[in-house]
Amino acid sequence: SITGACRAIQKLTRVRVVDNSTLGNTLYHRPPKCIHVYNKTGVGKVGDKILLAIKGEKKKALIVGHKMPGPTMTPRFDSNNVVLIEDNGNPVGTRIKTPIPYTLRRREGEFSKVLAIARNFV
Amino acid sequence: RVSSDGKPPKFQPPPKPVIIDRRTQKEERRFLSPEFIPPRGRTDPLKYYMERKDMIQRRKVFSIPEFYVGSVLAVTTAEPHASDKSKRFVGICIQRGGKGLGATFVLRNVIEDQGVEICYELYSPRIQAIEVLKLEKRLDENLMYLRDALPEYSTFDVNMKPVPRMANEEIPLNKLQVRMKPKPWSKRWERPKYNIKGINFELPEHKMQAAQKWSQPWLEFDMLREYDTSKIEEKIRKELSEELEK
């Protein structure tokens, strides 16, 4: 999606769901938007959980890549990517084709199931 | 040899030596990495001298090849969380920034329809290998407009083979004119401030002329902005060649 000045994810940013879940891939007349970031600051980076409004429902999601340049050696994506997640951390989809940064592997404990369905790492 | 009629054999003059003057060729084609040239300012040159010493130390241990903006590189870095502890990324160099030890270059590639850019530090100890797959130059020094160009211009095969190159060939200049996605773009690339030659603008004439309103033709004649690096480059080249031969 096209976000303007603030390129990390905050309230009302349009995001792109990258897994193969039905909720993320069915077309709707409004793009999925972030309504809350579970963070002390309201800005979400890679590995933060956010609340998404998709198709009139609320769903939690995990940020797997954003347009904002991060620390050197970390990848910067051309779109704000997000993976849908349940409250207990289980991913909704079954496959993630888009590349995921290796930095998520550091928190293997929380995101092990999401990392297990990811195909490419960058 | 058997002499004919008892006389000594006919005098064969030795073959003429072929003189290949390599000195002139070598001096023209030496490449100085842009991060060695100090920025214009009033800082003590001692600071840049010390940084250059550290850069030379690193280059003695790890070879950093010659590359330009627009060449395709493959970089292997140490990654603690990867399965075999290293990660390889192939991409086109879109920008070379920074001076001294903090010199960086940004590689861009499109993987599975997702554009990915990684900014690497040239002198970082985490980099294990830099391989130049295709050495070439482009019409511009900064290829940031590839983000707004059609993705086919930024896709490069991850398993591509290095393009073979002769030792003393000229670096090929790729005069590719890139086609863009429909506007809006992240920056208004048609404006003269960016001075981009590598885009095939398909905009109507009146838009191109409206963009020329922001041109600043007096800038090229501004003497205070001049920075002649020829003498500095000579000194640094001499220093480098001396140090690297030790």
Side-chain angles (χ1 to χ4, degrees), chain A residues 16 73 76 78-79 81 105, chain B residues 81 108 114-115 117 119:
Chain A
R16 176 189 164 209
M73 310 288 214
R76 186 206 83 104
D78 275 0
S79 61
N81 298 340
R105 269 240 155 97
Chain B
H81 307 291
R108 179 182 166 84
Q114 170 72 61
E117 290 174 9
C119 176

Side-chain angles (χ1 to χ4, degrees), chain B residues 60-121:
Chain B
K60 281 186 182 164
V61 176
F62 173 74
S63 70
I64 298 175
E66 166 190 354
F67 67 97
Y68 304 87
V69 168
S71 21
V72 182
L73 307 184
V75 177
T76 13
T77 42
E79 185 68 46
H81 307 291
S83 49
D84 39 335
K85 301 291 177 215
S86 64
K87 97 176 178 205
R88 186 181 136 107
F89 186 75
V90 174
I92 184 172
C93 177
I94 53 175
Q95 179 185 264
R96 280 188 83 161
K99 298 282 179 199
L101 285 168
T104 54
F105 63 100
V106 183
L107 291 186
R108 179 182 166 84
N109 200 349
V110 171
I111 308 172
E112 299 274 351
D113 301 326
Q114 170 72 61
V116 185
E117 290 174 9
I118 309 189
C119 176
Y120 289 105
E121 281 168 339

Side-chain angles (χ1 to χ4, degrees), chain A residues 76-96:
Chain A
R76 186 206 83 104
F77 296 86
D78 275 0
S79 61
N80 299 316
N81 298 340
V82 120
V83 169
L84 293 179
I85 226 174
E86 302 284 352
D87 284 334
N88 50 14
N90 294 352
V92 173
T94 49
R95 223 180 300 143
I96 305 177

Side-chain angles (χ1 to χ4, degrees), chain A residues 4 17 63 70 75 87 94 100 103 106-107 110 118:
Chain A
V17 176
I63 304 176
D87 284 334
T94 49
I100 308 274
T103 41
R106 198 170 300 151
R107 299 206 261 168
E110 303 167 53

